[in-house]
Amino acid sequence: MIMIAPQDEPAPGNIKVTRWDWINLALQTLISNGIESVRVLPLGQELGVSRSSFYWYFESRQDLLDQLLAHWRNTNTKAIVERAMRPAESIIMGVMNVFECWADERLFDPRLDFAIREWARRSDDVRRAIDQADNDRLSAIRDMYRGHGYDEEDAFIRARVLYYMQIGYYMLDLKEPVEARISHLAAYLRSFTGQEPSEADVAHFLRFMAAR
């Protein structure tokens, strides 16, 4: 899971936890047990602090939930959009930039994405946030294809295939070893771009994988 680094001081009189301790535990609870388990009292009990610690950092439970959503936007969605927009000398390199999100959970946390989608089943506001995030991610990938000369419809469909395939992969909870998936890298690139990747292209991504 993508953890938030401490950036503030503990509440006066309570040196045990920071704001980020509350948020990180709330994220872990959301992923493990769902949104209904993200409650102030049990979180405080697990952290070993009173409710007053929570209200030093947050106005309400809803304030905490809003910040969980903000964290999700600023990690999962931001990572995809930034890598799709990253300058690339070819569409194959562009797609591999996006692949970095699928290969490194420090960039894109699939468990968090799944937990937010489950939360959206219970909240219209979160459903709208999901819809906006999916649109932002798809638009960035579509624009990546457009920037490499694909026409509007082709770019739109290729973006959908690339993005929906990966989200479906997560939703199905496939247990394919990383090594097995990487062995098909050239075929994936060929499928997503319609171009033949070079050995240098494949080697470039393998170096990224090795450096994680």
Side-chain angles (χ1 to χ4, degrees), residues 12-160:
N14 187 346
I15 62 172
K16 291 184 177 180
V17 301
T18 69
R19 168 192 185 87
W20 306 109
D21 292 323
W22 282 98
I23 293 177
N24 282 326
L25 180 57
L27 286 167
Q28 293 170 22
T29 302
L30 172 65
I31 290 169
S32 299
N33 303 315
I35 191 61
E36 291 304 317
S37 296
V38 182
R39 300 283 175 180
V40 177
L41 183 58
L43 291 178
Q45 290 173 338
E46 188 163 347
L47 288 169
V49 297
S50 67
R51 291 163 63 97
S52 61
S53 169
F54 176 85
Y55 290 108
W56 176 263
Y57 297 120
F58 307 97
E59 294 181 2
S60 62
R61 175 176 182 262
Q62 186 59 52
D63 183 18
L64 173 62
L65 299 186
D66 289 344
Q67 294 191 46
L68 298 185
L69 269 182
H71 170 73
W72 165 72
R73 291 190 194 97
N74 290 329
T75 53
N76 282 17
T77 296
K78 184 178 180 181
I80 294 173
V81 170
E82 284 187 344
R83 276 154 184 78
M85 295 175 62
R86 182 188 293 171
E89 63 185 32
S90 69
I91 186 57
I92 287 174
M93 293 298 293
V95 168
M96 288 195 296
N97 286 340
V98 176
F99 277 4
E100 291 181 6
C101 298
W102 316 149
D104 189 345
E105 291 187 6
R106 293 171 299 179
L107 300 175
F108 180 94
D109 187 338
R111 295 168 299 168
L112 177 58
D113 226 58
F114 182 81
I116 299 292
R117 291 177 190 279
E118 283 296 303
W119 180 7
R121 297 176 184 271
R122 299 166 176 80
S123 168
D124 290 340
D125 288 342
V126 178
R127 178 71 260 175
R128 284 189 287 272
I130 283 281
D131 291 342
Q132 184 62 57
D134 284 336
N135 183 67
D136 291 345
R137 298 170 187 182
L138 279 166
S139 294
I141 298 171
R142 178 204 62 203
D143 290 347
M144 175 187 72
Y145 280 106
R146 289 283 289 139
H148 287 278
Y150 293 78
D151 66 35
E152 185 67 34
E153 184 176 29
D154 198 10
F156 173 69
I157 296 302
R158 287 182 185 276
R160 281 187 158 199

Side-chain angles (χ1 to χ4, degrees), residues 143-190:
D143 290 347
M144 175 187 72
Y145 280 106
R146 289 283 289 139
H148 287 278
Y150 293 78
D151 66 35
E152 185 67 34
E153 184 176 29
D154 198 10
F156 173 69
I157 296 302
R158 287 182 185 276
R160 281 187 158 199
V161 171
L162 174 56
Y163 179 65
Y164 290 155
M165 184 280 295
Q166 187 61 37
I167 296 301
Y169 190 93
Y170 292 138
M171 295 299 105
L172 290 171
D173 195 25
L174 297 177
K175 302 299 184 184
E176 183 181 37
V178 172
E179 294 79 10
R181 201 168 190 201
I182 289 296
S183 72
H184 302 301
L185 176 61
Y188 276 119
L189 291 169
R190 192 179 308 116

